[in-house]
């Protein structure tokens, strides 16, 4: 094999250097040099492979297209919430990055997905699942399975590449997660491989053609063509590129596990975002109960979808009704507690906002927030000071969203403002009352989108009243009438 030449390319100005340096000699930026395979040697190796194509590539008529990835059935993951954030299941040939802090449950979730797929409890498309559920005899089941496996991929074979753990450790996790429903025979299609060389992984995928491959994690993958260490930007990007290529060729869906550091700087995954099909992040307090799944990018579905899971005894469990779960231990009816109705993706979710306001000893009173933006709270505090004559200038204000959700919607404004006012005045919003509405700078209440959906969800959970723009026109009026 021809030796591949590598160069160090400045990510700021594009200058090529033959050696790594801390500073780019062209533009003077620091830490911008990333090892890449030289363009010249790429062209050369293509020519060596006998593929000297002319400049024009092949064109395909749209009417002749039959097997675009979207038209093939999706693979269900066995978790309704994970399917939801993926846009309705796994698209064959897609590459999805699953990011999150270490220990948040990425490996656990993907191990569960792998187990579900090999157990055959999922199928390539929902109609087949329905057929199977309705069939009475085992023979019918087998026929259905055969018809499903007629595609090029082997039914249910999943390759789990462990770069961080030993095969035994993953095996132990499978045992632990599968204790309740385990049937060892069903696990024969789960292939484990301890490997960090991406070229070996690619060769294995080409040979085995599994339905799904899980790379745990992309930061451990390296190729011998680059000299950089595992986890360096060059290695991560080149490894991902090779996996993406093989995914598109074989139709195998690839999940890349990517660790995000606490500081938010994603050494690696951030540079992949533009290359891959979807980015799913898992957030939540490591010791807490809830895990929030969110998409930042998705070529095959909406990007604002949110999934809610619970870290349970048997791994990650779906939370079918997030509102009920989030409100389980809520303090509604007490001063400082307000329930708001948010839209998370396409579904309304009720969450509790808590505020605590106490007389401050400081010249600059404190504003401490969790789950809402500090700017938002400062703005609402200013509105309350001006419009309702609340002496917030001498109060410390703490605001928290229960359950770990991040509230970014303007529709939560009125709820947050009411919670603050409620704590200062030591008066409560009555239980079984939810609040929606955007607050303007002059204290006016604006209308919100999907009001009907929100009201319906609140009613479903037994809420008697949804306070919003239809009832009051200003924050001052709401504070006067609603707090008792
Ligand atoms: Zn430069």
């Amino acid at each position: 094999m021809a030796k591949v030449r590598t160069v160090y390319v400045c990510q700021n100005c594009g200058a090529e250097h033959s050696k790594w340096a801390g500073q780019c000699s062209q533009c003077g930026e620091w830490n911008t040099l990333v090892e890449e395979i030289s363009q010249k040697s790429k062209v050369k190796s293509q020519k060596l492979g006998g593929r000297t194509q002319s400049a024009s590539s092949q064109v395909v008529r749209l009417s002749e297209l039959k097997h675009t990835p979207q038209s093939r059935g999706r693979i269900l993951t066995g978790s309704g919430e994970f399917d939801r954030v993926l846009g309705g299941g796994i698209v064959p040939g897609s590459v999805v990055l699953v990011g999150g802090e270490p220990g948040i449950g990425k490996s656990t979730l993907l191990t569960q997905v792998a187990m579900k797929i090999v157990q055959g409890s999922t199928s390539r498309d929902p109609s087949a699942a329905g057929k199977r559920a309705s069939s009475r005899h085992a023979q019918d089941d087998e026929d259905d399975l055969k018809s499903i496996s007629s595609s090029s991929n082997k039914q249910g074979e999943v390759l789990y590449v462990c770069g961080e753990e030993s095969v035994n450790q993953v095996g132990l996790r499978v045992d632990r997660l599968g204790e309740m429903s385990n049937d060892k025979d069903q696990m024969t299609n789960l292939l484990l491989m301890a490997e960090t060389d991406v070229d070996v992984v690619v060769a294995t995928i080409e040979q085995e053609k599994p339905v799904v491959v899980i790379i745990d994690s992309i930061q451990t993958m390296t190729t011998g063509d680059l000299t950089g260490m595992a986890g360096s930007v060059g290695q991560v990007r080149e490894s991902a590129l090779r996996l993406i290529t093989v995914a598109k060729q074989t139709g195998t869906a690839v999940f890349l596990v990517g660790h995000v550091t606490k500081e938010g700087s994603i050494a690696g995954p951030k540079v992949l975002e533009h290359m891959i099909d979807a980015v799913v992040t898992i957030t939540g307090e490591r010791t807490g109960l809830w895990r929030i799944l969110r998409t930042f990018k998705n070529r095959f579905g909406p990007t604002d979808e949110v999934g809610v899971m619970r870290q349970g005894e048997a791994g990650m469990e779906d939370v079918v009704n997030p509102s009920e779960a989030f409100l389980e231990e809520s303090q509604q009816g007490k001063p400082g507690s307000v329930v708001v109705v948010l839209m998370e993706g396409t579904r309304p979710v009720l969450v509790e906002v808590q505020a605590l306001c106490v007389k401050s000893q400081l010249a600059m009173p404190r504003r401490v927030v969790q789950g809402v933006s500090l700017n938002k709270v400062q703005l609402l505090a200013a509105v309350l000071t001006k419009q309702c004559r609340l002496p917030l200038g001498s109060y410390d204000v703490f605001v928290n969203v229960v359950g770990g959700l991040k509230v970014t919607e303007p529709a939560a404004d009125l709820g947050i403002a009411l919670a603050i006012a409620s704590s200062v005045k030591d008066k409560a919003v009555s239980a079984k009352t939810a609040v929606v509405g955007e607050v303007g700078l002059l204290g006016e209440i604006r209308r919100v989108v999907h009001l009907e959906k929100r009201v319906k969800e609140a009613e479903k959970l037994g809420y008697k009243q949804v306070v919003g723009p239809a009832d009051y026109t200003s924050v001052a009026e709401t504070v006067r009438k609603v707090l008792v």
Side-chain angles (χ1 to χ4, degrees), residues 289-290 310 322-332:
L289 209 55
W290 312 110
R310 188 201 302 261
S323 301
E324 261 174 16
F326 286 141
L327 295 176
E328 232 165 49
E329 293 167 346
S330 90
Q331 302 292 309
Q332 20 176 338

Side-chain angles (χ1 to χ4, degrees), residues 10 13 24 27:
C10 173
C13 70
C24 172
C27 67

Side-chain angles (χ1 to χ4, degrees), residues 10-15 17 24-29 32-33:
C10 173
Q11 302 299 299
N12 186 47
C13 70
H17 304 258
C24 172
S25 57
Q26 290 288 317
C27 67
E29 281 293 317
T32 54
L33 297 199

Side-chain angles (χ1 to χ4, degrees), residues 465-481:
Q465 194 192 4
V466 178
V467 172
D471 309 296
Y472 306 107
T473 52
S474 75
V475 177
E477 191 190 356
T478 318
V479 167
R480 246 192 346 262
K481 301 261 176 74

